[in-house]
Amino acid sequence: MTDAQFLEWLSGAAGLARRVALVEVDTDTPRYLCSAPYTTQPGDTPANRMYLPCIETGVSFSERLSLDATGNPAISAGDIDVANDDGALDSWLDDVWVNRAVRVYIGDVAWPRAQFRLVFAGVCADLHAGSAGRLSISLRSKLERLNTPVTEQLIGGTSANKDRIRPVGFGECHNISPVLVDEGQQEFLCSSRELERIIEARSNGAPLTITPDLYNGRFRMTTAIYGQITASVQFGLPYVNTVAGIIQLLATQWGTPSQRLTAADMDAANLAAFGAAHPQPVGVYLSDRANVMSVCQQLAASVGAQLTVSSTGLLRLVKVQLPGNGAPVAIGPADWEAGSLTLKQRPEVIAGVKLGYCRNWTVQSTLETGIPPAHAQLYGQEWLTVSARSSAVAARYRLHGDAQQVDTLLLREADAQAEANRRLALWSAPRSVFSLRGYAHLLGLELGQAVMLTAPRWGLNAGQLGQVVGLSRDWLAGRIDVEVLI
């Protein structure tokens, strides 16, 4: 069955669709639930599996992109209500549901199991009793699996730093503070990963001669330790220094092993296209506990993107931009319920953008080692900055000229300036977010997708190019709430 045929079935255009949702949860005792009686056919794999008809409400799931300066979207969420009037399912509350995989399929009660479509793949946040006669399964996207520490490995040994987290870096970072791990050998640890290169090492800002051990992420000093030791380093073999590349490393190779994503969880086409379009070098250094998801979002936000997952659970990078991604999908009055189109939000107009870039990971404000004053000044500030400003917009909207600084993990001035200019161009003009309740044939929309929105009001008569920034799907009802940025 093609995508077009599936959406046609959902819309009921080919006859009465007898929709049924199948929910599979990987608890210790796997649970198989459905919204209407359903048993797999003898020729299915597995054969004759009975799903428990206890789902009480529509299977819905909401997701949206952030339109604020942080670029951090809310974790996508949804709920499935389960009938429990007689208390027969009370024992389910004793099971572990947290972080267990859950899959939702939609199909017709007459279909063989193989024809059902996966419409959601994520994790359970928990199972709770919504009322005396109902249990609720709280759903989260697969991003929840990245909500774990990057590493909890300690340095160990006998040094004074033995109980510290082993530092780890990605891309290129300037002036980090490596950790002394062997005072007798004057050995410092830069990262628990291999190193591509130690660009330089310094003592109180003055260059040092060292003996590198790239394989073990370390170096030894050849002179006595004096003052603050720092280093500028390129991390990892193979060396990866782009947003898409580092995010894939973090998602698949770091964090709690049982929670890591796999190559099968990646939207390979999206990530490859994003990587090709965003080659800007970045770097991040983690010398203490850090969260995988937070670090990934910080990397993505550096180029105005956000970490999301598709409806079927594939990790993607989506950039808030106009127009959106791909060929625009035409949406007009015939595609939504009458009266459902509303003007939901008017994002704030801005007159300036200020971005921090090329982070100095060890701020040293009192260097007295005879280095040039200009160099000493650089070591005393955490960020270099760029700005973009529109005097005309500031005057027209009576806005203050100074923009609040937003920090990025970009390394080069040209890249930071280009991103500042892009953000100013996007948000220095009035924007609108429209909301509508679409029919079943729009259920295939994804966050970030381009649309051509046409309506008889709000200047949309001739159609306006926009981007999908919010979705809330109800597969059983065959409806989808869509938010479009224009």
Side-chain angles (χ1 to χ4, degrees):
M1 180 179 291
T2 66
D3 291 344
Q5 290 171 330
F6 178 70
L7 291 175
E8 183 182 17
W9 169 81
L10 273 175
S11 67
L16 181 62
R18 297 173 298 171
R19 302 187 189 101
V20 59
L22 306 181
V23 178
E24 301 178 353
V25 187
D26 293 345
T27 44
D28 291 337
T29 300
R31 306 296 181 186
Y32 302 98
L33 323 176
C34 59
S35 59
Y38 183 82
T39 301
T40 60
Q41 298 177 8
D44 288 338
T45 303
N48 303 314
R49 170 178 285 168
M50 181 179 293
Y51 287 75
L52 182 65
C54 61
I55 295 176
E56 194 171 58
T57 60
V59 178
S60 60
F61 191 76
S62 299
E63 52 187 333
R64 56 185 35 85
L65 299 175
S66 170
L67 302 182
D68 64 23
T70 64
N72 291 327
I75 292 294
S76 304
D79 290 286
I80 296 175
D81 291 331
V82 176
N84 187 36
D85 294 312
D86 59 359
L89 306 182
D90 287 352
S91 61
W92 285 15
L93 292 166
D94 297 326
D95 293 346
V96 177
W97 293 72
V98 177
N99 289 328
R100 297 306 173 97
V102 57
R103 297 167 299 280
V104 180
Y105 300 85
I106 292 291
D108 194 287
V109 293
W111 288 358
R113 176 65 181 81
Q115 284 189 238
F116 277 68
R117 277 295 184 98
L118 177 69
V119 296
F120 174 78
V123 297
C124 291
D126 207 351
L127 175 76
H128 59 274
S131 65
R134 176 182 293 179
L135 299 176
S136 291
I137 305 171
S138 296
L139 305 178
R140 297 292 184 270
S141 76
K142 276 189 183 175
L143 287 185
E144 189 66 30
R145 286 172 56 181
L146 304 183
N147 194 13
T148 68
V150 174
T151 179
E152 295 183 288
Q153 185 180 12
L154 301 180
I155 289 174
T158 59
S159 74
N161 294 314
K162 65 182 185 299
D163 293 324
R164 286 184 56 178
I165 292 289
R166 294 175 67 89
V168 60
F170 301 87
E172 180 178 315
C173 294
H174 299 156
N175 213 41
I176 67 168
S177 292
V179 182
L180 179 63
V181 292
D182 189 329
E183 189 171 0
Q185 297 292 326
Q186 300 188 123
E187 187 170 70
F188 287 81
L189 175 66
C190 295
S191 175
S192 54
R193 303 179 68 209
E194 294 182 59
L195 304 180
E196 166 77 8
R197 177 187 172 205
I198 298 177
I199 301 169
E200 65 173 6
R202 291 177 176 262
S203 173
N204 274 5
L208 282 175
T209 300
I210 60 170
T211 301
D213 179 2
L214 300 180
Y215 180 79
N216 291 302
R218 306 174 181 227
F219 67 82
R220 291 180 179 177
M221 292 179 54
T222 58
T223 58
I225 299 173
Y226 173 75
Q228 176 69 58
I229 306 301
T230 61
S232 295
V233 180
Q234 293 178 337
F235 300 94
L237 286 176
Y239 176 55
V240 177
N241 68 342
T242 63
V243 169
I246 296 175
I247 284 176
Q248 289 178 84
L249 278 176
L250 281 163
T252 60
Q253 298 182 27
W254 294 86
T256 304
S258 62
Q259 295 293 95
R260 294 173 187 170
L261 302 183
T262 68
D265 297 313
M266 302 287 120
D267 187 332
N270 167 270
L271 294 172
F274 189 93
H278 299 86
Q280 301 96 320
V282 292
V284 59
Y285 188 63
L286 309 173
S287 58
D288 206 340
R289 283 178 172 82
N291 180 279
V292 174
M293 184 161 56
S294 296
V295 177
C296 288
Q297 293 288 18
Q298 188 180 8
L299 285 159
S302 295
V303 292
Q306 298 174 37
L307 198 66
T308 70
V309 293
S310 68
S311 58
T312 54
L314 299 182
L315 187 74
R316 311 174 74 223
L317 283 165
V318 175
K319 193 168 185 174
V320 177
Q321 59 187 4
L322 291 174
N325 303 321
V329 175
I331 301 179
D335 299 307
W336 64 72
E337 292 182 359
S340 67
L341 179 68
T342 60
L343 177 55
K344 181 175 183 178
Q345 182 184 355
R346 293 277 286 174
E348 181 182 357
V349 174
I350 64 172
V353 175
K354 183 179 181 181
L355 299 183
Y357 74 98
C358 197
R359 183 178 179 180
N360 170 21
W361 293 86
T362 305
V363 178
Q364 299 165 280
S365 56
T366 57
L367 292 178
E368 298 178 357
T369 53
I371 63 175
H375 293 188
Q377 183 179 359
L378 285 174
Y379 286 117
Q381 61 189 76
E382 186 173 6
W383 301 93
L384 300 179
T385 62
V386 296
S387 296
R389 186 176 186 275
S390 171
S391 299
V393 172
R396 184 179 183 187
Y397 288 88
R398 300 181 182 180
L399 299 173
H400 295 292
D402 292 334
Q404 183 177 358
Q405 180 173 320
V406 177
D407 297 324
T408 75
L409 297 173
L410 294 167
L411 296 178
R412 300 187 305 208
E413 179 181 10
D415 295 332
Q417 188 64 63
E419 177 60 19
N421 294 344
R422 187 195 70 84
R423 296 186 190 192
L424 180 63
L426 178 62
W427 298 115
S428 61
R431 302 296 180 192
S432 301
V433 177
F434 292 95
S435 177
L436 59 94
R437 174 153 294 181
Y439 294 128
H441 62 277
L442 297 182
L443 280 163
L445 289 174
E446 293 282 1
L447 287 180
Q449 195 165 352
V451 298
M452 174 65 77
L453 184 62
T454 304
R457 294 187 59 190
W458 295 299
L460 299 173
N461 305 66
Q464 291 281 343
L465 283 172
Q467 182 180 39
V468 176
V469 295
L471 294 170
S472 182
R473 298 178 175 90
D474 189 330
W475 290 96
L476 286 179
R479 292 294 184 267
I480 180 170
D481 292 332
V482 183
E483 296 175 18
V484 179
L485 174 68
I486 298 294

